[in-house]
Amino acid sequence: MEDLETKQPEKESENISEAQNLGSHHPDGGWRAWSVVLGVWLLQFCTFGYANAYGVYNDYYVRNYLRDRYSSSQISWIGSVQLFLVLSGGLVAGRGYDTGYFYHLMIGGSLLFVFCLFMLSLTHAGQYYQVFLSHGLGVGIATGLSYVPGMAVLSQYFERRRPIAMGIATTGSAVGGVLHPIMLNKLFYGPAGFHGGVRASAGLCLGLLAIALLLLRPRFRPTKGQISTTAVFNNFLRDPPYVIMVCGTTLIYTGLYFPIFFLQLNAIKIGINANLAFYTIAILNGASVFGRIFPNMLVNSVGVFNMVILCTTITGILVFCPLAIKDVAGTMIFSVMYGFFSGAYAGLVSPMISSLARNNSEIGARLGICFTFTGMSTP
Protein backbone atom coordinates (compact mmCIF):
# COMPACT_ATOMS: atom_id res chain seq x y z
CA MET A 1 0.00 0.00 0.00
CA GLU A 2 2.78 2.41 0.84
CA ASP A 3 4.41 1.77 -2.53
CA LEU A 4 1.15 2.60 -4.31
CA GLU A 5 0.74 5.82 -2.34
CA THR A 6 4.25 6.98 -3.14
CA LYS A 7 4.02 6.05 -6.81
CA GLN A 8 0.76 7.94 -7.37
CA PRO A 9 2.16 11.47 -6.73
CA GLU A 10 5.23 10.59 -8.79
CA LYS A 11 3.01 9.53 -11.68
CA GLU A 12 0.98 12.74 -11.49
CA SER A 13 4.17 14.79 -11.39
CA GLU A 14 5.46 12.99 -14.48
CA ASN A 15 2.19 13.66 -16.32
CA ILE A 16 2.31 17.34 -15.51
CA SER A 17 5.95 17.60 -16.59
CA GLU A 18 5.17 15.76 -19.82
CA ALA A 19 2.30 18.12 -20.67
CA GLN A 20 4.40 21.16 -19.88
CA ASN A 21 7.24 19.88 -22.07
CA LEU A 22 4.80 19.41 -24.92
CA GLY A 23 3.62 22.97 -24.43
CA SER A 24 7.15 24.34 -24.24
CA HIS A 25 7.63 23.89 -28.01
CA HIS A 26 5.33 26.01 -30.15
CA PRO A 27 5.20 25.70 -33.96
CA ASP A 28 4.61 29.48 -34.27
CA GLY A 29 3.31 28.85 -37.79
CA GLY A 30 2.46 26.19 -40.34
CA TRP A 31 -0.82 25.00 -41.83
CA ARG A 32 -2.13 23.37 -38.65
CA ALA A 33 -1.46 26.44 -36.50
CA TRP A 34 -2.92 28.96 -38.94
CA SER A 35 -5.96 26.78 -39.61
CA VAL A 36 -6.70 26.96 -35.88
CA VAL A 37 -6.41 30.76 -36.13
CA LEU A 38 -8.96 30.64 -38.97
CA GLY A 39 -11.26 28.47 -36.86
CA VAL A 40 -11.07 30.90 -33.94
CA TRP A 41 -11.60 33.78 -36.40
CA LEU A 42 -14.84 32.20 -37.65
CA LEU A 43 -15.93 31.54 -34.07
CA GLN A 44 -15.27 35.16 -33.13
CA PHE A 45 -17.09 36.37 -36.25
CA CYS A 46 -20.26 34.49 -35.34
CA THR A 47 -20.33 34.93 -31.55
CA PHE A 48 -18.52 38.04 -30.30
CA GLY A 49 -19.09 39.69 -33.67
CA TYR A 50 -22.80 39.27 -33.05
CA ALA A 51 -22.40 40.88 -29.62
CA ASN A 52 -20.65 43.82 -31.30
CA ALA A 53 -23.73 44.23 -33.50
CA TYR A 54 -26.06 44.58 -30.52
CA GLY A 55 -26.40 48.30 -31.24
CA VAL A 56 -28.62 47.38 -34.21
CA TYR A 57 -30.84 45.28 -31.98
CA ASN A 58 -30.90 47.95 -29.29
CA ASP A 59 -32.01 50.57 -31.81
CA TYR A 60 -34.71 48.27 -33.21
CA TYR A 61 -35.96 47.27 -29.76
CA VAL A 62 -36.16 50.90 -28.55
CA ARG A 63 -37.81 52.37 -31.66
CA ASN A 64 -39.98 49.44 -32.75
CA TYR A 65 -40.12 46.03 -31.12
CA LEU A 66 -40.39 46.94 -27.42
CA ARG A 67 -41.20 50.65 -27.77
CA ASP A 68 -44.67 50.91 -26.26
CA ARG A 69 -44.05 49.20 -22.92
CA TYR A 70 -40.38 49.58 -21.99
CA SER A 71 -37.89 52.43 -21.67
CA SER A 72 -34.48 52.62 -23.32
CA SER A 73 -32.73 51.98 -19.99
CA GLN A 74 -34.78 48.84 -19.39
CA ILE A 75 -34.10 47.54 -22.88
CA SER A 76 -30.36 48.19 -22.55
CA TRP A 77 -30.25 45.54 -19.81
CA ILE A 78 -30.59 42.90 -22.53
CA GLY A 79 -27.22 43.90 -24.01
CA SER A 80 -25.62 44.45 -20.62
CA VAL A 81 -26.58 41.02 -19.30
CA GLN A 82 -25.49 39.42 -22.56
CA LEU A 83 -22.04 41.01 -22.33
CA PHE A 84 -21.79 40.12 -18.64
CA LEU A 85 -22.43 36.44 -19.42
CA VAL A 86 -20.05 36.49 -22.40
CA LEU A 87 -17.19 37.55 -20.13
CA SER A 88 -18.11 35.98 -16.79
CA GLY A 89 -18.72 32.63 -18.48
CA GLY A 90 -14.95 32.45 -18.71
CA LEU A 91 -14.72 31.21 -15.11
CA VAL A 92 -16.43 27.96 -16.06
CA ALA A 93 -15.14 27.79 -19.62
CA GLY A 94 -11.52 28.55 -18.72
CA ARG A 95 -11.40 25.89 -16.04
CA GLY A 96 -13.22 23.45 -18.33
CA TYR A 97 -10.64 24.08 -21.06
CA ASP A 98 -7.75 23.40 -18.67
CA THR A 99 -9.31 20.12 -17.54
CA GLY A 100 -9.96 18.71 -21.02
CA TYR A 101 -13.51 19.76 -21.93
CA PHE A 102 -12.52 21.80 -24.98
CA TYR A 103 -14.82 20.09 -27.48
CA HIS A 104 -17.69 19.87 -24.99
CA LEU A 105 -17.57 23.65 -24.51
CA MET A 106 -17.11 24.52 -28.18
CA ILE A 107 -19.81 22.22 -29.54
CA GLY A 108 -22.25 22.94 -26.70
CA GLY A 109 -21.73 26.69 -26.94
CA SER A 110 -22.13 26.72 -30.73
CA LEU A 111 -25.35 24.67 -30.67
CA LEU A 112 -26.81 26.79 -27.87
CA PHE A 113 -25.91 30.00 -29.74
CA VAL A 114 -27.73 28.97 -32.92
CA PHE A 115 -30.68 27.56 -30.97
CA CYS A 116 -31.17 30.83 -29.05
CA LEU A 117 -31.10 32.88 -32.25
CA PHE A 118 -33.84 30.72 -33.72
CA MET A 119 -35.79 31.13 -30.46
CA LEU A 120 -35.34 34.91 -30.74
CA SER A 121 -36.94 34.75 -34.20
CA LEU A 122 -40.04 33.21 -32.58
CA THR A 123 -40.54 35.96 -29.97
CA HIS A 124 -43.48 38.37 -30.07
CA ALA A 125 -43.31 42.17 -30.18
CA GLY A 126 -43.66 43.75 -26.75
CA GLN A 127 -42.74 40.54 -24.89
CA TYR A 128 -39.65 41.64 -22.99
CA TYR A 129 -39.11 38.38 -21.12
CA GLN A 130 -38.96 36.37 -24.36
CA VAL A 131 -36.30 38.65 -25.84
CA PHE A 132 -34.38 38.77 -22.56
CA LEU A 133 -34.29 34.98 -22.18
CA SER A 134 -33.22 34.20 -25.74
CA HIS A 135 -31.02 37.20 -26.57
CA GLY A 136 -29.73 38.34 -23.19
CA LEU A 137 -29.34 35.06 -21.31
CA GLY A 138 -29.14 32.40 -24.04
CA VAL A 139 -26.82 34.11 -26.51
CA GLY A 140 -24.70 35.46 -23.66
CA ILE A 141 -24.17 32.05 -22.05
CA ALA A 142 -23.47 30.40 -25.40
CA THR A 143 -20.84 32.97 -26.36
CA GLY A 144 -19.28 32.80 -22.90
CA LEU A 145 -18.82 29.04 -23.13
CA SER A 146 -16.79 29.25 -26.33
CA TYR A 147 -14.90 32.55 -26.04
CA VAL A 148 -12.12 31.69 -23.57
CA PRO A 149 -11.40 28.15 -24.90
CA GLY A 150 -11.16 29.55 -28.42
CA MET A 151 -8.59 32.16 -27.43
CA ALA A 152 -6.70 29.84 -25.06
CA VAL A 153 -6.15 27.09 -27.64
CA LEU A 154 -4.04 29.52 -29.70
CA SER A 155 -1.44 29.52 -26.91
CA GLN A 156 -0.72 25.86 -27.70
CA TYR A 157 0.44 26.80 -31.21
CA PHE A 158 2.10 30.20 -30.77
CA GLU A 159 4.58 31.78 -28.38
CA ARG A 160 6.71 34.43 -30.10
CA ARG A 161 3.89 35.21 -32.54
CA ARG A 162 1.15 34.80 -29.95
CA PRO A 163 0.13 38.49 -29.81
CA ILE A 164 -0.25 38.77 -33.59
CA ALA A 165 -2.04 35.39 -33.82
CA MET A 166 -4.50 36.41 -31.11
CA GLY A 167 -4.88 39.83 -32.70
CA ILE A 168 -5.72 38.32 -36.09
CA ALA A 169 -8.18 35.90 -34.45
CA THR A 170 -9.99 38.71 -32.64
CA THR A 171 -10.45 40.61 -35.91
CA GLY A 172 -13.17 38.05 -36.54
CA SER A 173 -15.37 39.79 -33.99
CA ALA A 174 -14.58 43.15 -35.60
CA VAL A 175 -15.40 41.93 -39.11
CA GLY A 176 -18.54 40.37 -37.67
CA GLY A 177 -19.30 43.73 -36.15
CA VAL A 178 -19.04 45.24 -39.65
CA LEU A 179 -21.06 42.71 -41.62
CA HIS A 180 -23.70 41.70 -39.07
CA PRO A 181 -25.04 45.27 -38.57
CA ILE A 182 -25.28 45.91 -42.33
CA MET A 183 -27.02 42.60 -42.91
CA LEU A 184 -29.36 42.94 -39.92
CA ASN A 185 -30.37 46.51 -40.78
CA LYS A 186 -31.16 45.55 -44.37
CA LEU A 187 -33.15 42.51 -43.22
CA PHE A 188 -35.02 44.15 -40.31
CA TYR A 189 -36.18 47.12 -42.37
CA GLY A 190 -36.66 45.14 -45.61
CA PRO A 191 -39.10 42.48 -46.84
CA ALA A 192 -37.74 39.81 -44.46
CA GLY A 193 -38.60 41.79 -41.34
CA PHE A 194 -37.28 41.16 -37.83
CA HIS A 195 -38.17 37.48 -37.52
CA GLY A 196 -36.99 36.52 -41.00
CA GLY A 197 -33.80 38.55 -40.54
CA VAL A 198 -32.90 36.82 -37.29
CA ARG A 199 -33.50 33.40 -38.85
CA ALA A 200 -31.31 34.27 -41.84
CA SER A 201 -28.45 35.37 -39.57
CA ALA A 202 -28.88 32.22 -37.47
CA GLY A 203 -28.56 30.05 -40.58
CA LEU A 204 -25.37 31.88 -41.60
CA CYS A 205 -23.86 31.40 -38.14
CA LEU A 206 -24.79 27.71 -38.15
CA GLY A 207 -22.81 27.06 -41.32
CA LEU A 208 -19.76 29.08 -40.25
CA LEU A 209 -19.64 27.56 -36.77
CA ALA A 210 -19.70 24.07 -38.30
CA ILE A 211 -16.60 24.96 -40.34
CA ALA A 212 -14.93 26.48 -37.27
CA LEU A 213 -15.45 23.32 -35.22
CA LEU A 214 -13.79 21.24 -37.94
CA LEU A 215 -10.69 23.48 -37.86
CA LEU A 216 -10.25 23.76 -34.09
CA ARG A 217 -8.05 21.14 -32.44
CA PRO A 218 -5.94 21.22 -29.24
CA ARG A 219 -2.31 20.12 -29.68
CA PHE A 220 -2.07 17.97 -26.58
CA ARG A 221 -4.15 16.44 -23.85
CA PRO A 222 -4.72 18.38 -20.61
CA THR A 223 -2.46 17.85 -17.61
CA LYS A 224 -3.39 15.16 -15.14
CA GLY A 225 -3.55 15.75 -11.40
CA GLN A 226 -5.26 19.14 -11.70
CA ILE A 227 -5.59 21.09 -8.47
CA SER A 228 -8.98 22.41 -7.41
CA THR A 229 -10.49 25.64 -8.74
CA THR A 230 -10.32 27.18 -5.25
CA ALA A 231 -6.61 26.39 -5.00
CA VAL A 232 -6.01 27.91 -8.45
CA PHE A 233 -7.88 31.07 -7.46
CA ASN A 234 -5.95 31.41 -4.19
CA ASN A 235 -2.71 30.90 -6.08
CA PHE A 236 -3.52 33.74 -8.49
CA LEU A 237 -4.47 36.03 -5.60
CA ARG A 238 -0.86 35.80 -4.41
CA ASP A 239 0.33 37.12 -7.78
CA PRO A 240 0.27 40.97 -7.38
CA PRO A 241 0.80 41.83 -11.10
CA TYR A 242 -2.12 39.59 -12.06
CA VAL A 243 -4.41 41.05 -9.37
CA ILE A 244 -3.59 44.63 -10.41
CA MET A 245 -4.18 43.74 -14.06
CA VAL A 246 -7.59 42.20 -13.26
CA CYS A 247 -8.63 45.33 -11.34
CA GLY A 248 -7.54 47.59 -14.19
CA THR A 249 -9.27 45.47 -16.82
CA THR A 250 -12.48 45.50 -14.78
CA LEU A 251 -12.45 49.30 -14.64
CA ILE A 252 -11.83 49.57 -18.39
CA TYR A 253 -14.75 47.30 -19.30
CA THR A 254 -17.07 49.42 -17.14
CA GLY A 255 -17.35 51.96 -19.95
CA LEU A 256 -15.75 50.31 -22.99
CA TYR A 257 -18.98 49.09 -24.64
CA PHE A 258 -21.26 52.01 -23.80
CA PRO A 259 -20.53 54.01 -27.01
CA ILE A 260 -20.78 50.84 -29.12
CA PHE A 261 -24.24 49.93 -27.83
CA PHE A 262 -25.69 53.44 -28.28
CA LEU A 263 -23.79 54.76 -31.31
CA GLN A 264 -26.50 54.08 -33.91
CA LEU A 265 -29.36 55.23 -31.67
CA ASN A 266 -27.54 58.46 -30.74
CA ALA A 267 -26.75 59.16 -34.41
CA ILE A 268 -30.44 58.98 -35.29
CA LYS A 269 -31.42 61.12 -32.29
CA ILE A 270 -29.13 63.99 -33.34
CA GLY A 271 -30.76 64.06 -36.77
CA ILE A 272 -28.44 61.99 -38.96
CA ASN A 273 -30.21 60.29 -41.84
CA ALA A 274 -31.23 56.76 -40.82
CA ASN A 275 -29.65 55.16 -43.91
CA LEU A 276 -26.29 56.67 -42.93
CA ALA A 277 -26.71 56.04 -39.20
CA PHE A 278 -27.16 52.33 -39.95
CA TYR A 279 -23.51 52.22 -41.02
CA THR A 280 -22.00 53.86 -37.92
CA ILE A 281 -21.51 50.58 -36.06
CA ALA A 282 -20.10 48.96 -39.20
CA ILE A 283 -17.60 51.82 -39.58
CA LEU A 284 -16.59 51.56 -35.92
CA ASN A 285 -15.99 47.83 -36.18
CA GLY A 286 -14.22 48.26 -39.52
CA ALA A 287 -11.68 50.54 -37.86
CA SER A 288 -11.48 47.99 -35.04
CA VAL A 289 -10.06 45.42 -37.49
CA PHE A 290 -6.95 47.55 -37.98
CA GLY A 291 -6.77 48.32 -34.26
CA ARG A 292 -6.57 44.60 -33.46
CA ILE A 293 -3.66 43.98 -35.85
CA PHE A 294 -1.21 46.90 -35.98
CA PRO A 295 -0.70 47.49 -32.22
CA ASN A 296 -0.19 43.73 -31.73
CA MET A 297 2.60 43.80 -34.30
CA LEU A 298 4.52 46.18 -32.00
CA VAL A 299 4.09 44.14 -28.82
CA ASN A 300 7.40 42.24 -29.06
CA SER A 301 9.37 45.48 -29.40
CA VAL A 302 7.32 47.86 -27.22
CA GLY A 303 5.79 45.52 -24.64
CA VAL A 304 2.18 44.45 -24.27
CA PHE A 305 1.49 46.51 -21.14
CA ASN A 306 2.92 49.67 -22.67
CA MET A 307 0.65 49.28 -25.69
CA VAL A 308 -2.37 48.64 -23.46
CA ILE A 309 -1.70 51.79 -21.41
CA LEU A 310 -1.42 53.94 -24.54
CA CYS A 311 -4.55 52.57 -26.23
CA THR A 312 -6.75 52.64 -23.11
CA THR A 313 -5.73 56.22 -22.28
CA ILE A 314 -6.84 57.41 -25.71
CA THR A 315 -10.02 55.29 -25.51
CA GLY A 316 -10.85 56.81 -22.11
CA ILE A 317 -10.62 60.31 -23.57
CA LEU A 318 -12.77 59.37 -26.56
CA VAL A 319 -15.58 58.00 -24.35
CA PHE A 320 -16.53 61.58 -23.42
CA CYS A 321 -16.53 62.90 -26.99
CA PRO A 322 -20.14 61.91 -27.89
CA LEU A 323 -21.33 64.59 -25.44
CA ALA A 324 -20.08 67.23 -27.88
CA ILE A 325 -20.88 65.51 -31.20
CA LYS A 326 -23.82 67.07 -33.07
CA ASP A 327 -23.18 66.38 -36.77
CA VAL A 328 -22.26 63.72 -39.32
CA ALA A 329 -18.56 64.57 -39.52
CA GLY A 330 -18.08 64.31 -35.77
CA THR A 331 -19.97 61.02 -35.62
CA MET A 332 -17.89 59.45 -38.38
CA ILE A 333 -14.56 60.63 -36.95
CA PHE A 334 -15.56 59.32 -33.55
CA SER A 335 -16.61 55.96 -35.05
CA VAL A 336 -13.23 55.51 -36.73
CA MET A 337 -11.09 56.60 -33.78
CA TYR A 338 -13.04 54.83 -31.08
CA GLY A 339 -13.21 51.71 -33.21
CA PHE A 340 -9.44 51.65 -33.70
CA PHE A 341 -8.37 52.21 -30.11
CA SER A 342 -11.09 50.16 -28.40
CA GLY A 343 -10.34 47.39 -30.91
CA ALA A 344 -6.65 47.65 -30.05
CA TYR A 345 -7.46 46.98 -26.41
CA ALA A 346 -9.72 44.06 -27.31
CA GLY A 347 -6.90 42.54 -29.35
CA LEU A 348 -4.28 43.10 -26.64
CA VAL A 349 -6.16 41.90 -23.57
CA SER A 350 -5.73 38.15 -24.19
CA PRO A 351 -1.98 38.38 -24.93
CA MET A 352 -1.64 40.60 -21.86
CA ILE A 353 -3.29 38.02 -19.60
CA SER A 354 -1.39 35.13 -21.20
CA SER A 355 1.94 36.89 -20.67
CA LEU A 356 1.55 36.46 -16.90
CA ALA A 357 0.98 32.70 -17.07
CA ARG A 358 3.86 30.54 -15.87
CA ASN A 359 2.91 27.72 -18.28
CA ASN A 360 0.21 26.75 -20.76
CA SER A 361 -1.74 24.71 -18.23
CA GLU A 362 -2.97 27.84 -16.41
CA ILE A 363 -3.72 30.16 -19.35
CA GLY A 364 -7.37 29.10 -19.52
CA ALA A 365 -7.89 29.68 -15.81
CA ARG A 366 -6.16 33.08 -15.88
CA LEU A 367 -8.26 34.21 -18.84
CA GLY A 368 -11.45 32.87 -17.26
CA ILE A 369 -10.96 34.48 -13.85
CA CYS A 370 -10.00 37.84 -15.35
CA PHE A 371 -12.98 37.91 -17.72
CA THR A 372 -15.31 36.88 -14.91
CA PHE A 373 -14.44 39.98 -12.91
CA THR A 374 -14.56 42.22 -15.98
CA GLY A 375 -17.98 40.79 -16.82
CA MET A 376 -19.29 41.95 -13.45
CA SER A 377 -18.56 45.54 -14.44
CA THR A 378 -20.54 45.54 -17.69
CA PRO A 379 -24.16 45.85 -16.41
Side-chain angles (χ1 to χ4, degrees):
M1 290 293 292
E2 291 180 1
D3 291 338
L4 290 174
E5 291 176 358
T6 55
K7 287 179 180 179
Q8 186 65 25
E10 292 175 1
K11 185 177 179 181
E12 291 180 357
S13 177
E14 290 172 1
N15 287 329
I16 294 172
S17 299
E18 180 184 356
Q20 290 178 353
N21 288 334
L22 276 168
S24 62
H25 172 69
H26 301 77
D28 262 328
W31 158 249
R32 180 69 260 174
W34 289 113
S35 67
V36 172
V37 173
L38 176 59
V40 178
W41 190 95
L42 290 172
L43 178 75
Q44 290 276 311
F45 176 90
C46 294
T47 56
F48 221 115
Y50 217 85
N52 285 340
Y54 177 76
V56 175
Y57 278 98
N58 190 69
D59 175 46
Y60 189 84
Y61 292 156
V62 171
R63 296 195 297 122
N64 296 280
Y65 206 58
L66 302 173
R67 176 184 59 186
D68 296 332
R69 300 177 61 181
Y70 302 97
S71 66
S72 176
S73 62
Q74 290 174 315
I75 292 170
S76 67
W77 275 95
I78 298 171
S80 296
V81 170
Q82 175 189 298
L83 186 58
F84 163 71
L85 292 172
V86 168
L87 297 173
S88 61
L91 182 63
V92 175
R95 188 60 177 156
Y97 165 81
D98 286 338
T99 52
Y101 291 94
F102 176 79
Y103 286 115
H104 301 75
L105 293 164
M106 302 304 290
I107 295 173
S110 298
L111 290 176
L112 179 61
F113 181 83
V114 174
F115 173 78
C116 289
L117 286 184
F118 279 114
M119 289 299 100
L120 178 61
S121 73
L122 299 177
T123 59
H124 296 86
Q127 299 299 312
Y128 183 89
Y129 78 95
Q130 295 178 357
V131 177
F132 184 82
L133 288 175
S134 57
H135 198 176
L137 292 180
V139 173
I141 292 172
T143 306
L145 289 176
S146 58
Y147 177 66
V148 168
M151 296 304 299
V153 75
L154 294 174
S155 65
Q156 297 184 10
Y157 290 89
F158 296 91
E159 185 174 34
R160 185 175 59 86
R161 294 180 176 176
R162 185 178 296 170
I164 187 63
M166 287 185 168
I168 292 172
T170 59
T171 62
S173 64
V175 175
V178 173
L179 299 183
H180 285 306
I182 295 174
M183 179 182 69
L184 291 172
N185 274 314
K186 294 297 183 182
L187 291 170
F188 289 177
Y189 299 97
F194 176 77
H195 299 100
V198 175
R199 279 192 289 270
S201 66
L204 172 66
C205 291
L206 175 61
L208 294 178
L209 287 172
I211 297 172
L213 292 174
L214 293 174
L215 294 172
L216 294 172
R217 183 185 302 171
R219 269 185 67 222
F220 51 85
R221 292 189 297 272
T223 58
K224 302 294 191 298
Q226 290 279 357
I227 59 177
S228 67
T229 301
T230 304
V232 170
F233 184 73
N234 291 334
N235 183 35
F236 292 165
L237 282 179
R238 292 192 290 271
D239 185 356
Y242 179 76
V243 173
I244 294 171
M245 184 206 63
V246 170
C247 293
T249 304
T250 302
L251 292 174
I252 291 168
Y253 269 93
T254 301
L256 186 69
Y257 279 86
F258 179 82
I260 299 174
F261 282 180
F262 289 94
L263 179 60
Q264 179 173 311
L265 181 61
N266 289 340
I268 292 173
K269 284 188 173 181
I270 64 175
I272 295 177
N273 182 273
N275 290 326
L276 181 59
F278 288 164
Y279 288 96
T280 53
I281 297 175
I283 292 170
L284 184 148
N285 285 300
S288 178
V289 172
F290 299 98
R292 293 166 193 254
I293 294 177
F294 293 118
N296 287 56
M297 296 173 66
L298 301 174
V299 163
N300 288 333
S301 57
V302 178
V304 65
F305 283 93
N306 292 330
M307 289 302 302
V308 167
I309 291 171
L310 173 64
C311 292
T312 52
T313 300
I314 297 174
T315 303
I317 296 171
L318 290 171
V319 166
F320 295 97
C321 292
L323 297 174
I325 294 174
K326 303 297 181 184
D327 56 15
V328 174
T331 300
M332 295 305 162
I333 293 172
F334 171 80
S335 298
V336 172
M337 293 193 65
Y338 194 82
F340 182 89
F341 288 104
S342 64
Y345 177 75
L348 290 166
V349 65
S350 293
M352 177 179 67
I353 299 169
S354 301
S355 70
L356 297 178
R358 289 182 287 269
N359 53 67
N360 284 336
S361 65
E362 63 179 35
I363 287 178
R366 284 186 182 267
L367 287 169
I369 291 173
C370 181
F371 285 136
T372 297
F373 282 96
T374 58
M376 294 177 183
S377 67
T378 53

